[in-house]
Amino acid sequence: MKTTDYLIIGAGASGLAFADTLLGESDAEVLLIDRRAKVGGHWRDAYSFVRLHSPSAYYGVDSLPLGQNRIIASGRNTGFYEQATGAEVCAYFETVRASRLEASGRAHFLARSEFLDHHGGTASIRHTGSGEIEQIGVRRRVVDARYQEASVPATHVPSYAVDPDAAFAPIGMLPGRAGEHRGFIVIGAGKTAVDACLWLLDAGIDPERIRWVRPREMWFTDRAGMQPLDQVASIINGLADDAQAGAQARTLVDLCHRLEDVGRLMRIDSGIEPTMYRGTMLSLAELSALRQIDNVIRLGHVKSVEAGRLRLTDGDVAIGPGTLVVDCSARGLASSPQVPIFAHDTITLQQLRHNSPTFNAALLGFIEAHGDDAAEKNRMAPPNPYASTPRDMATMFTRTWVSERLWQGQPDIRRWIEHSRLNLLGGLALRMEDAAVKAAAGRFATHVATAVARLPQLA
Ligand SMILES: Cc1cc2nc3c(=O)[nH]c(=O)nc-3n(C[C@H](O)[C@H](O)[C@H](O)COP(=O)(O)OP(=O)(O)OC[C@H]3O[C@@H](n4cnc5c(N)ncnc54)[C@H](O)[C@@H]3O)c2cc1C
């Protein structure tokens, strides 16, 4: 029987970032397994034009940079730090597997292997090619790195019925099928739909020929406030805006409007109050491009796509000849209920700091390597569920700030965070003499305690 210290279920960004830091901080052996044929998780099934919506500078695993921190020189994100394409993310994770994990001699990856269960130090996995079941001896812990598994267009099943005769495609088929169509109906209000609409506009499609089904509106975060390194003043300034608005807002709507007034949050249609918030980033240039699409269908959720007709909860819409309906309704991040991260023989990876999925997984690797008592490790790692609404956003901000205070009080964790490339505030300490950084840090410090007390009341 194979044995390992840690069996990590899921070799996506989270499993890899956790393994990378655990290997660097301990002498543990790890075995990563995944149903997929290669490491990289959902990125392996993403549509061809997907890219990070955050900078590459603070994405990936701690021990290996992603990209070269170049500044984008043209397009709708000019002046911002580079954002890797999906293909670049996949290639990077392959390099991580070979040159960081397996090169250590203490990590192995088993592809096409599905976790079944785990009892008393023995885990069962099924090799999906052969169907063979194998037992693995686990000396320390099973790490669930698929608890917040993303639901992505290539693998999700739409929640509505689709007639086989309807002209319908998931976003991944858009580049191949767009040329055969004259009009487009995009279903979904989140990042995937944004990507589809921007792709169509970039392909030269007249905005008049795009209809967009948006049952609800979303608040987006201005990407300008998420730029690290030489532009880290943008991040601390954005955090100061969040804290100041949190300290002064009278209601959740007021909180969002204050954040909109300072350019932190953005919405496509200023006449409609958004009820969704997922932390998705957009640039101002992307926002103004999206605003060209003014044929928005607001008739609730789609119930079915039929040949010539779209049925929605509040009415029907005709689908003209030559029109392709594009599904962009996959949910993306999972909203799994929070559970304690560290248990006797399991670790369930979850969000800690918002907007930082790989930072969180790596920090949990560090905490696992250096802590020995589950209660103390859980004290340092309170789960912070992903947000879907402005209410969740308020709760999520609060939990992040409470955790940050805990981490600042723990010298080894504080040091790790300061030096981690995954820390979006990396390099802040070096730039404290910069007047803009200093002023923003002061404003954050002035308001954060009041915001932490006040936001839970609003939420
Ligand atoms: C389109 C998209 C773009 C994004 N862009 C960004 C961004 O720019 N910046 C950012 O910070 N975050 C971004 N995110 C957030 C994203 O959640 C993280 O970036 C990250 O990739 C998620 O990785 P994960 O490992 O948690 O999940 P996944 O990538 O979903 O990996 C989970 C893995 O677990 C495996 N698995 C599940 N069940 C089993 C089982 N029983 N046995 C074996 N294996 C199993 C799956 O096959 C999968 O490979 C984006 C998300 C999406 C969907």
Side-chain angles (χ1 to χ4, degrees), residues 9-15 33-36 40-43 47 50-54 59 113-115 145-146 148-152 191 332-333 355-357 386:
I9 313 163
S14 301
I33 62 166
D34 203 295
R35 283 176 178 152
R36 288 184 159 101
H42 72 80
W43 292 104
Y47 39 99
V50 75
R51 55 188 331 137
L52 287 177
H53 63 121
S54 64
Y59 191 82
S113 302
E114 181 179 39
F115 174 80
R146 47 86 208 243
Q148 295 187 314
E149 183 178 7
S151 158
V152 291
K191 176 189 177 341
L333 301 178
N355 286 330
S356 301
Y386 287 134

Side-chain angles (χ1 to χ4, degrees), residues 86-114:
E88 287 165 346
V89 172
C90 289
Y92 166 83
F93 282 137
E94 264 306 295
T95 307
V96 167
R97 176 192 62 74
S99 77
R100 288 300 191 267
L101 306 188
E102 293 184 340
S104 74
R106 290 182 285 124
H108 300 282
F109 170 59
L110 286 183
R112 296 191 183 90
S113 302
E114 181 179 39

Side-chain angles (χ1 to χ4, degrees), residues 100-168:
R100 288 300 191 267
L101 306 188
E102 293 184 340
S104 74
R106 290 182 285 124
H108 300 282
F109 170 59
L110 286 183
R112 296 191 183 90
S113 302
E114 181 179 39
F115 174 80
L116 298 178
D117 56 31
H118 171 230
H119 298 291
T122 304
S124 303
I125 65 172
R126 177 174 32 230
H127 299 288
T128 56
S130 62
E132 185 198 329
I133 296 194
E134 184 180 358
Q135 313 289 315
I136 308 281
V138 183
R139 290 185 291 272
R140 294 190 198 164
R141 283 174 191 95
V142 170
V143 181
D144 189 344
R146 47 86 208 243
Y147 187 66
Q148 295 187 314
E149 183 178 7
S151 158
V152 291
T155 49
H156 102 125
V157 178
S159 61
Y160 48 84
V162 181
D163 187 324
D165 294 331
F168 175 86

Side-chain angles (χ1 to χ4, degrees), residues 337-355:
Q338 69 176 70
V339 295
I341 290 178
F342 295 96
H344 164 62
D345 56 1
T346 55
I347 299 173
T348 309
L349 301 188
Q350 289 156 79
Q351 173 167 258
L352 305 174
R353 174 196 269 184
H354 60 274
N355 286 330

